[in-house]
Amino acid sequence: MDDALAPKRLAAGVVPRPQPRELRARLQQLRERADAIMNLTYRDFANTPHVPPFVWVGDGCSVAAGYVPCSGLFCPGCVGHGFGCRSFGVKYGLRLGGARVTKSWIDGRFRGEMGRICGGRYNYRLSHLACLSAAQVYCGAVQFGGDSAFF
């Protein structure tokens, strides 16, 4: 836009479009905010203010709910994973990074948080191992069956 005409266009209600460089900078800032949120523990994630433009709605462990043991226990981990898929994936949401490496990172964060949930809940070795085994089922499900919710 010509600098001499800019005041007249703004007065007439014509808003200049952001330039590609500005859009890339905004996208990078948004990606950095989403990365920071995804790197929170499930407890900190649960206390994070739900600010736009991120998609915060979720159904927890949607596929497994009611069918697999521990669906209630693992719900905080599932909510964080869902946030990642909706914010980074190409099927829904913001599309901040729809590559395979990004989905693998989100799935890895999910695996880590599932282990954290088990570690925070069970002190006895056998109970802890049983929890980790159940967590592996969830992790396998999102790793091998979750592509349709991301790509």
Side-chain angles (χ1 to χ4, degrees):
M1 181 181 293
D2 182 24
D3 288 338
L5 297 177
K8 291 180 182 177
R9 289 183 179 162
L10 288 175
V14 177
V15 179
R17 288 186 185 169
Q19 297 301 310
R21 183 175 31 146
E22 293 169 337
L23 291 174
R24 282 193 302 272
R26 287 183 195 169
L27 184 61
Q28 180 62 32
Q29 289 173 341
L30 198 57
R31 171 69 191 242
E32 289 170 3
R33 286 176 52 206
D35 285 348
I37 292 169
M38 278 300 298
N39 280 310
L40 296 172
T41 66
Y42 72 93
R43 286 188 177 125
D44 291 336
F45 179 86
N47 295 317
T48 300
H50 292 188
V51 295
F54 301 111
V55 183
W56 294 93
V57 297
D59 51 6
C61 303
S62 57
V63 175
Y67 298 104
V68 178
C70 305
S71 61
L73 173 66
F74 293 140
C75 190
C78 294
V79 170
H81 184 266
F83 170 86
C85 288
R86 287 185 303 280
S87 295
F88 292 90
V90 297
K91 185 168 182 179
Y92 305 105
L94 299 175
R95 301 177 178 176
L96 296 176
R100 170 66 59 192
V101 67
T102 305
K103 182 181 182 300
S104 295
W105 171 68
I106 293 167
D107 291 350
R109 291 285 307 132
F110 180 62
R111 182 179 306 280
E113 291 309 301
M114 299 298 262
R116 189 184 313 274
I117 289 168
C118 291
R121 177 76 181 255
Y122 297 105
N123 295 325
Y124 298 106
R125 183 165 172 72
L126 189 57
S127 298
H128 184 249
L129 290 174
C131 182
L132 290 174
S133 293
Q136 286 300 107
V137 172
Y138 284 78
C139 293
V142 299
Q143 183 178 0
F144 299 112
D147 282 3
S148 63
F150 189 84
F151 296 107

